[in-house]
Amino acid sequence: MPFLGQDWRSPGWRWVKTEDGWKRCEPFSPALEDGNNQLNDISHTVIITGDDENEEVYNTEDCEFAAKKRKKDHFRNNTDSQCFYREKWIYVHKESTRERHGYCTLGEAFNRLDFSSAIQDIRRFNYVVKLLQLIAKSQLTSLSGAAQKNYFNILDKIVQKVMEDQYNPRLIKDLLQDLSSTLCILIRGVGKSVLVGNINIWICRLETVLLWQQQLKNLQMNKQVNNGLTLSDLPLHMLNNILYRFSDGWDIITLGQVTPTLYMLSEDRQLWKKLCQYHFAEKQFCRHLIPSEKGHIDWKLMYFALQKYYPIKEQYGDTLHFCRHCSILFWKDTGHPCTASDPNTCLMPVSPQHFIDLFKF
């Protein structure tokens, strides 16, 4: 039987993505290794302290102990010299194996995929918010204590970002509304449902959510003063092209409230028809036809009517991807050290709902 070292269950080396491909990342810098060598030399010397009359000679074991202690102090006081690389991907496994003990959890995924930094990226912001909203609706009671802390820490950073940048407050208001409704139901029905944690903690969290809602309600948009070219100065065909780039009907309505010209363009029947065709199938149109007073189909009302019955197509700047060959979940632009011959054929985009389903056991 072959001998297996004491660290045979370890995840292995750390890898970093470079222009020349994936390379193994060394745990410490060369300068730090030189310091380690100097500290190692201490264990081979004899330390003599005191005067000549009361000299005390330490044996080799004491020297090794002193050297280890100095190493710990050296690492603790020189954290800048360390160059650990943190991967932004996670291996998804749902059962224990000889190589991996236990299974990955939702809280672990929050840390490894670095959602706290993802919300600072405008391409990932909507994806993370949608994911937190789905968790608030259905998976809140299944979160562990660590996952709860991660969840509300990320939510706190999202609210602070919106308060500072005024970025997409409507999306955060919907998230907090769903979260407060769920918390009210769980707190009122305590005993009927299983809550991880003390009931007083959940009451404090509900109060925090209500405070966030009040802050967003009182949010005042900063009026930017710009003497250069503004949105109103663009030609009509360019403004029309901008409106056709929106995939959310509420964004079109909000933009139409800026100027009378944008309002006229936002009421275009062809614009709302294209939006309905993008999100819904023709069979769904036939079930919810809404004619206008002139006998034409009111595509604007059609869009909001269909939105109540059918989910709209999700569109994000950057999403998580799952590698079927490696069973690794990662951000698309970050990548992972794939061992497949053709990695592109193994990739599968992961929607927020699919992400939650991956961690259901």
Side-chain angles (χ1 to χ4, degrees):
M1 181 176 179
F3 173 76
L4 298 176
Q6 60 180 358
D7 59 345
W8 69 281
R9 293 180 184 271
S10 65
W13 294 97
R14 295 178 180 270
W15 297 83
V16 59
K17 189 176 183 180
T18 64
E19 296 180 355
D20 300 329
W22 288 88
K23 293 185 178 181
R24 193 172 67 191
C25 182
E26 298 297 334
F28 302 105
S29 63
L32 190 59
E33 291 180 355
D34 295 338
N36 292 345
N37 295 332
Q38 296 177 0
L39 293 173
N40 287 334
D41 295 339
I42 299 176
S43 61
H44 300 290
T45 60
V46 179
I47 303 176
I48 301 177
T49 60
D51 299 331
D52 295 338
E53 297 179 356
N54 299 320
E55 64 179 9
E56 185 177 358
V57 181
Y58 294 94
N59 56 23
T60 305
E61 293 181 357
D62 294 335
C63 293
E64 291 179 354
F65 176 78
K68 290 181 179 179
K69 187 176 184 303
R70 293 195 179 199
K71 283 183 182 180
K72 292 181 180 179
D73 296 338
H74 182 77
F75 296 153
R76 188 179 298 112
N77 298 329
N78 296 276
T79 54
D80 294 338
S81 60
Q82 301 183 31
C83 58
F84 288 107
Y85 179 79
R86 185 177 182 180
E87 309 93 342
K88 293 185 179 180
W89 49 265
I90 183 173
Y91 178 82
V92 180
H93 53 110
K94 297 186 178 182
E95 58 184 6
S96 297
T97 62
R98 293 186 61 189
E99 292 75 19
R100 294 182 178 270
H101 180 66
Y103 52 86
C104 57
T105 62
L106 197 59
E108 183 182 0
F110 282 158
N111 286 334
R112 292 293 300 273
L113 296 173
D114 199 10
F115 281 0
S116 297
S117 300
I119 61 176
Q120 304 300 329
D121 192 335
I122 193 173
R123 300 169 302 168
R124 302 176 181 175
F125 183 84
N126 293 354
Y127 185 92
V128 177
V129 172
K130 182 62 177 180
L131 176 60
L132 296 184
Q133 187 174 14
L134 292 177
I135 293 176
K137 290 181 178 180
S138 60
Q139 300 296 320
L140 199 60
T141 56
S142 64
L143 295 179
S144 63
Q148 292 174 19
K149 291 181 179 180
N150 293 336
Y151 181 89
F152 283 95
N153 286 338
I154 296 172
L155 187 58
D156 182 29
K157 293 181 179 180
I158 290 176
V159 175
Q160 297 305 321
K161 177 179 175 58
V162 174
M163 296 296 296
E164 295 175 1
D165 302 341
Q166 292 88 39
Y167 178 74
N168 208 345
R170 178 178 56 84
L171 190 63
I172 312 305
K173 290 179 181 179
D174 294 341
L175 166 60
L176 294 179
Q177 180 61 39
D178 293 336
L179 182 58
S180 61
S181 301
T182 303
L183 289 177
C184 289
I185 295 174
L186 293 177
I187 292 175
R188 291 173 184 174
V190 63
K192 299 180 182 179
S193 59
V194 179
L195 281 176
V196 179
N198 191 285
I199 183 64
N200 295 326
I201 297 178
W202 288 97
I203 293 176
C204 292
R205 288 170 176 168
L206 177 59
E207 294 175 352
T208 303
V209 172
L210 296 177
L211 177 62
W212 286 338
Q213 287 182 304
Q214 187 64 33
Q215 291 177 351
L216 291 176
K217 184 178 180 180
N218 300 331
L219 179 64
Q220 298 292 332
M221 295 295 179
N222 297 331
K223 186 176 181 180
Q224 298 181 356
V225 179
N226 189 0
N227 298 327
L229 187 66
T230 63
L231 188 64
S232 303
D233 298 328
L234 296 177
L236 289 179
H237 70 278
M238 294 185 67
L239 294 175
N240 197 35
N241 288 335
I242 292 174
L243 287 170
Y244 270 85
R245 295 295 188 273
F246 285 97
S247 60
D248 192 341
W250 285 110
D251 292 336
I252 296 177
I253 293 178
T254 303
L255 185 59
Q257 296 174 353
V258 177
T259 62
T261 303
L262 288 172
Y263 175 78
M264 177 191 66
L265 295 176
S266 66
E267 294 294 322
D268 184 20
R269 290 180 60 254
Q270 190 67 20
L271 172 65
W272 290 97
K273 180 179 179 180
K274 291 290 184 180
L275 192 63
C276 290
Q277 292 175 346
Y278 174 76
H279 287 287
F280 310 105
E282 293 184 2
K283 294 182 179 179
Q284 299 169 345
F285 297 159
C286 301
R287 301 175 184 176
H288 305 277
L289 289 176
I290 303 177
S292 61
E293 297 178 355
K294 299 181 179 180
H296 302 291
I297 298 177
D298 194 333
W299 291 104
K300 182 178 180 180
L301 293 178
M302 174 79 76
Y303 170 81
F304 290 104
L306 293 173
Q307 193 179 25
K308 296 179 181 179
Y309 299 99
Y310 310 103
I312 62 176
K313 185 182 297 184
E314 298 178 356
Q315 185 178 13
Y316 306 101
D318 186 23
T319 63
L320 290 171
H321 275 61
F322 182 74
C323 179
R324 293 187 294 268
H325 177 78
C326 306
S327 297
I328 287 179
L329 192 66
F330 62 97
W331 290 105
K332 180 181 178 181
D333 63 344
T334 303
H336 74 289
C338 187
T339 58
S341 57
D342 189 2
N344 294 329
T345 60
C346 306
L347 303 185
M348 178 179 62
V350 178
S351 65
Q353 184 60 53
H354 186 197
F355 175 86
I356 296 176
D357 295 338
L358 285 175
F359 296 93
K360 285 183 179 179
F361 302 107

